[in-house]
Amino acid sequence: MAGSTFGNIFKITTWGESHGEGIGVVVDGCPAGLEISEEYIQTYLDRRKPGQSGYTTQRKEDDTVKILSGVFEGRTTGTPISMIVYNKTQRSSDYSEIAGYYRPGHADYTFDEKYGFRDYRGGGRSSGRETIGRVAAGAIACKLLSELGITVAAYAKSIGDVEIDYNNFDIRERDNNPVAMPDMQASKRAEELLKEKMAKKDSVGGIVECVVKNMKTGIGEPVFDKLDACLAKAVMSIGAVKGVEIGAGFKVSEMSGSENNDNFYMENDRVMKRTNNAGGILGGISDGSDIVLRAAFKPTPSIFREQETINRNHENIKVEIKGRHDPIIVPRAVVVVEAMTALTVSDLLLLSMTSTMDRIKKLFID
């Protein structure tokens, strides 16, 4: 299987299946001397682990990370950083019956068509547990960015038709409620919606918004490796994401040029913009303002009501899916969007170090 490696300089390779021995990641290209610990990485993994509320799968996993290489005496050595999280509560019997049919909304059918067989125990590589490696690596990327004063913060912007009110925005509230919304009032309405859908054996989707603050200018490679193009690929690679927008996003199609253009002005010798419809990126290159992106997540496909599908013999059947599943993906996916954003920005930032002779001279001569 190709496609498990992401990045150019700050490069990661994830591995493992949802019901195998464990899930892991190898991070290559991280500069030496970055302060990293298992405890720090664990704070990120704890935000995505299951069983933390009634709105997530009740699979109880500690998701405890172990660093196997690349860190010595609390600092990165410049060599590959290998990390693993062991799976401890696999219940593969919950999935034994789906070996013979294709779950609606899942990758069962396409995996069978591509490879001729599949790991049906929870989806294998297409399972949400694959994102453990992304989050562990993303934690390191966030640490690297923080050394440069850059912060990456994601949160649930909407769940179903419940959307946050920016007048009530408080990023600290995101970690105080089970739906990861930075608006206490909206989170309560979202919980009521989830209870209603769960009672009907149904699920909902939502939108995760991510903001990169204190972004440096000049990051991103024109043409095929534009910053926004790379961000879109990174976030779209998350299993349940069906759409990505940056800045004003799809709303730009309704604007006139005079409305959409972000006018520049000077303030205290700094280049500023009156608006940020571009989402901090012009021509595929960061302009120094906040990067704002959004990811649309589909409803959890594993619902407990009867559905129509086909079996491997291509016969029409009806099924009721069993197992331990999230009624909504969004709250646990917030940190995954954060991780993929940080990985992308870190990689392109390191790549930009060689974009001018002045930068190269400063690195090796000054």
Side-chain angles (χ1 to χ4, degrees):
M1 176 187 288
S4 291
T5 298
F6 177 82
N8 297 288
I9 296 179
F10 195 101
K11 186 180 295 186
I12 73 166
T13 300
T14 68
W15 55 267
E17 294 80 35
S18 59
H19 283 242
E21 287 297 312
I23 300 282
V25 64
V26 176
V27 180
D28 203 2
C30 181
L34 187 67
E35 191 174 320
I36 288 293
S37 67
E38 291 175 348
E39 291 75 19
Y40 165 75
I41 294 170
Q42 193 64 51
T43 62
Y44 281 78
L45 289 172
D46 285 349
R47 290 170 57 195
R48 72 147 304 282
K49 74 179 181 182
Q52 298 189 82
S53 77
Y55 311 119
T56 66
T57 171
Q58 293 309 293
R59 174 174 176 163
K60 298 291 185 182
E61 290 276 11
D62 292 333
D63 284 354
T64 302
V65 68
K66 184 172 182 57
I67 298 175
L68 302 178
S69 67
V71 177
F72 180 66
E73 294 184 344
R75 293 187 179 275
T76 56
T77 63
T79 59
I81 303 166
S82 183
M83 295 177 282
I84 186 171
V85 168
Y86 289 101
N87 294 325
K88 294 182 179 179
T89 67
Q90 307 99 310
R91 277 170 32 189
S92 299
S93 59
D94 286 349
Y95 299 89
S96 57
E97 70 171 80
I98 72 171
Y101 66 79
Y102 303 122
R103 294 169 295 173
H106 283 272
D108 301 343
Y109 173 70
T110 50
F111 263 63
D112 253 6
E113 288 293 296
K114 182 173 179 64
Y115 297 108
F117 69 99
R118 72 183 195 275
D119 183 345
Y120 56 80
R121 305 166 301 169
R125 285 293 283 165
S126 64
S127 166
R129 280 191 71 73
E130 178 270 331
T131 62
I132 285 174
R134 300 171 184 243
V135 173
I140 296 175
C142 284
K143 185 70 171 181
L144 186 154
L145 294 175
S146 71
E147 293 286 309
L148 302 173
I150 301 171
T151 62
V152 183
Y155 45 85
K157 181 180 186 290
S158 65
I159 288 178
D161 60 0
V162 178
E163 189 169 330
I164 64 171
D165 182 345
Y166 287 101
N167 292 319
N168 300 328
F169 189 95
D170 183 352
I171 192 62
R172 295 170 298 182
E173 178 58 30
R174 176 196 66 183
D175 302 323
N176 293 332
N177 64 74
V179 292
M181 282 183 146
D183 174 355
M184 182 172 61
Q185 296 178 26
S187 70
K188 291 179 179 178
R189 296 197 305 274
E191 287 191 63
E192 290 303 314
L193 173 64
L194 287 172
K195 290 174 184 176
E196 176 187 325
K197 293 295 183 182
M198 290 170 69
K200 296 178 180 179
K201 298 182 179 181
D202 215 339
S203 61
V204 294
I207 295 175
V208 173
E209 187 166 77
C210 187
V211 180
V212 182
K213 289 187 174 294
N214 302 320
M215 185 61 187
K216 311 305 177 185
T217 57
I219 307 304
E221 302 301 312
V223 191
F224 297 117
D225 283 336
K226 291 180 171 72
L227 176 54
D228 41 3
C230 291
L231 285 169
K233 177 183 178 179
V235 176
M236 279 295 292
S237 74
I238 301 168
V241 173
K242 301 305 290 183
V244 175
E245 64 176 18
I246 293 172
F250 285 99
K251 289 184 179 178
V252 299
S253 64
E254 304 169 7
M255 296 179 178
S256 61
S258 59
E259 292 172 316
N260 181 58
N261 288 345
D262 300 317
N263 294 327
F264 292 106
Y265 69 99
M266 295 300 298
E267 183 177 284
N268 299 325
D269 294 326
R270 285 190 61 196
V271 177
M272 307 289 287
K273 297 190 310 183
R274 298 290 182 190
T275 53
N276 192 22
N277 291 316
I281 303 170
L282 292 168
I285 302 170
S286 60
D287 63 24
S289 51
D290 291 352
I291 294 175
V292 182
L293 67 85
R294 293 170 214 93
F297 283 80
K298 69 179 183 179
T300 313
S302 292
I303 55 178
F304 299 119
R305 62 169 59 181
E306 186 177 81
Q307 300 179 83
E308 294 181 351
T309 189
I310 61 171
N311 60 25
R312 295 193 73 185
N313 296 322
H314 288 190
E315 299 168 326
N316 295 321
I317 61 172
K318 292 183 179 181
V319 298
E320 289 186 33
I321 295 171
K322 299 178 176 61
R324 300 165 292 177
H325 309 289
D326 298 76
I328 184 168
I329 296 167
V330 172
R332 295 175 60 206
V334 163
V335 70
V336 184
V337 173
E338 214 170 90
M340 293 309 298
T341 300
L343 286 166
T344 304
V345 172
S346 296
D347 187 40
L348 289 176
L349 192 147
L350 292 174
L351 202 59
S352 291
M353 290 175 63
T354 59
S355 61
T356 68
M357 282 302 302
D358 286 344
R359 290 180 181 177
I360 296 173
K361 287 178 179 178
K362 188 172 182 178
L363 182 62
F364 291 105
I365 298 175
D366 292 355

